[in-house]
Amino acid sequence: MNRINFEDALKLYDMDFFELGDLADKCRKELHGNKTYFNINRHINPTNVCADVCLFCAYSATRKNPNQYTMSHEDILKIVEEIDKNGAKEVHIVSAHNPNVTLDWYLGIFKKIKTQYPHIHVKALTAAEVDFLSRHHKLSYDEVLDLMIENGVDSMPGGGAEIFDEKVRDKICKGKVTSDQWFEIHRKWHERGKKSNVTMLFGHVESRENRIDHMMRIRELQDKTGGFNCFIPLVYQTENNYLNIEAPITANEVLKTMAVSRLVLDNVPNLKAYWVTSTVNLALVAQEFGANDLDGTIEKESINSAAGAKSANGVNLEDFTALIKNSGFSPVERDSVYNELKVW
Ligand code: V47
């Protein structure tokens, strides 16, 4: 298929809903057949004290949420000990931008996990956190990225991308990592032979044009580095934050956006329907609109659940795999960089 340009990508939204779904499904089947990937993972969010001011965020403790916390390394290691027993293969560690703790507090988390559990994949620090650590501790991006690798970070999650259009960014998260900086950090990470993901927060003040522009910018870097494993459209959650969006995006628009992204991002292998923000039910339907990955069991999650997502306690592995099977797909457990581990 020819590469889709901006105008044609926008027109995809006006296609018949099911015809668009079929196009994306054909593309998904060519890449992954009937397989739906997931992993057994645990999200850990070690601190919610934040120096930044994203209006969409309900997790940060500095504004609407009065309950500040910063976990000790011992508490984090207790969690990892527990999940290791339960078969988890990845910890996904994302925090707020805490100016009151040292760089060693951040890096020590990874170092201690990697030393005691070398078989567990550490996916940690969004580009927004890398930018914060670089500014706060007066280090270059290269220095922060090298320290991450030295201390045991294996891959980077895709958070902090939000919407790359600068005007929208100014409205929703002025003052944090810019789009250019976000891409610079991921480019440098890929140049070190490492993989990362990329997200898009949608369903708030952005337009369809902004979403396509977001995808085009990702496609451009991916052509150069090939370092993105997965694209993750995150459905904006409306509660407890300062954006004041009254009407959540419709399921129809979510599925269309999934399908459009599958077709536009022809060089990104995986499309994740992140059940945390879409609901499990819609994530299952998204399997027919281009999505081939449902993230993981998660066990506990604090960022999206603070804004209303029903994800605080993860999903049960048996229920999860049964749902994937009952919706007509083959649940395949993967590791963090998409090697297949087990067909369930
Ligand atoms: O960057 C914050 C988003 C992200 C809200 O890489 C919100 O595999 C919805 O990036 N409504 C963090 N979303 C989560 C994230 C992620 C999740 C799962 C997998 C991966 C991966 C990455 O959560 C933030 C921000 O974009 N977020 N507030 C909200 N109200």
Side-chain angles (χ1 to χ4, degrees):
M1 197 163 74
N2 289 336
R3 184 153 259 202
I4 298 171
N5 65 25
F6 186 93
E7 286 70 30
D8 289 342
L10 203 52
K11 282 186 204 144
L12 290 173
Y13 272 105
D14 298 324
M15 278 180 72
D16 173 81
F17 180 65
F18 292 105
E19 279 176 24
L20 173 61
D22 281 349
L23 267 188
D25 189 46
K26 187 165 170 278
C27 178
R28 177 235 209 264
K29 291 227 165 72
E30 276 165 18
L31 289 166
H32 307 288
N34 215 27
K35 293 173 188 168
T36 291
Y37 291 122
F38 71 96
N39 70 352
I40 305 180
N41 63 348
R42 169 67 143 87
H43 283 220
I44 304 179
N45 306 116
T47 177
N48 66 350
V49 177
C50 196
D52 267 310
V53 282
C54 302
L55 296 188
F56 52 76
C57 182
Y59 170 67
S60 157
T62 46
R63 289 164 296 125
K64 284 210 170 180
N65 174 359
N67 306 312
Q68 290 197 9
Y69 72 82
T70 300
M71 292 165 78
S72 68
H73 288 181
E74 289 66 37
D75 286 344
I76 295 169
L77 287 166
K78 264 188 221 141
I79 295 172
V80 182
E81 183 186 356
E82 198 55 37
I83 61 152
D84 184 44
K85 284 190 203 134
N86 298 339
K89 312 219 169 33
E90 172 192 286
V91 276
H92 175 142
I93 305 175
V94 170
S95 284
H97 306 170
N98 189 335
N100 308 329
V101 291
T102 61
L103 181 63
D104 282 345
W105 176 83
Y106 276 92
L107 297 173
I109 298 172
F110 317 132
K111 181 91 182 167
K112 288 178 185 168
I113 294 175
K114 214 42 189 186
T115 307
Q116 297 184 32
Y117 304 93
H119 51 285
I120 291 192
H121 182 104
V122 178
K123 180 165 79 171
L125 293 183
T126 66
E129 289 174 277
V130 172
D131 173 68
F132 164 73
L133 292 175
S134 137
R135 280 186 281 125
H136 193 65
H137 299 285
K138 303 195 173 27
L139 295 168
S140 67
Y141 290 157
D142 287 303
E143 286 169 320
V144 177
L145 295 174
D146 287 339
L147 282 169
M148 284 162 63
I149 294 173
E150 266 172 57
N151 285 277
V153 176
D154 295 299
S155 69
M156 276 178 68
E162 323 313 355
I163 283 283
F164 290 131
D165 178 85
E166 283 73 11
K167 287 200 189 82
V168 175
R169 232 177 155 73
D170 270 359
K171 277 190 207 148
I172 66 173
C173 55
K174 196 174 170 66
K176 84 164 178 186
V177 67
T178 66
S179 306
D180 286 347
Q181 289 167 334
W182 192 98
F183 278 110
E184 185 187 349
I185 290 165
H186 279 262
R187 178 177 54 73
K188 285 176 179 291
W189 184 250
H190 297 167
E191 283 167 3
R192 285 163 167 74
K194 299 287 184 184
K195 294 288 186 182
S196 66
N197 291 336
V198 48
T199 57
M200 173 178 78
L201 180 66
F202 73 115
H204 42 89
V205 300
E206 91 294 351
S207 62
R208 286 176 174 174
E209 283 83 351
N210 296 144
R211 291 179 215 152
I212 305 287
D213 167 66
H214 190 92
M215 294 171 203
M216 294 282 168
R217 296 193 202 198
I218 295 166
R219 197 169 72 177
E220 199 182 317
L221 180 63
Q222 182 75 340
D223 273 344
K224 293 184 187 133
T225 67
F228 290 124
N229 266 337
C230 182
F231 178 60
I232 311 156
L234 299 169
V235 182
Y236 166 69
Q237 309 293 299
T238 55
E239 292 176 19
N240 306 322
N241 66 70
Y242 286 94
L243 268 189
N244 299 327
I245 306 291
E246 274 164 23
I249 190 169
T250 63
N252 179 293
E253 189 72 7
V254 170
L255 292 173
K256 279 184 173 182
T257 303
M258 288 275 174
V260 169
S261 65
R262 179 58 287 165
L263 295 164
V264 171
L265 290 171
D266 53 20
N267 54 3
V268 178
N270 299 289
L271 172 64
K272 188 182 284 186
Y274 186 47
W275 64 262
V276 167
T277 64
S278 66
T279 72
V280 173
N281 287 348
L282 200 60
L284 293 169
V285 180
Q287 293 174 109
E288 295 186 44
F289 284 76
N292 68 294
D293 190 296
L294 298 194
D295 197 86
T297 45
I298 291 173
E299 214 171 296
K300 191 161 171 53
E301 186 281 325
S302 308
I303 298 179
N304 304 113
S305 53
K310 305 288 172 273
S311 52
N313 299 316
V315 279
N316 171 281
L317 179 61
E318 275 71 33
D319 295 346
F320 198 48
T321 50
L323 284 168
I324 296 171
K325 267 192 214 163
N326 291 342
S327 59
F329 291 84
S330 167
V332 179
E333 185 189 340
R334 60 162 174 81
D335 69 9
S336 305
V337 287
Y338 290 85
N339 296 304
E340 294 185 9
L341 300 178
K342 177 175 167 181
V343 180
W344 281 71

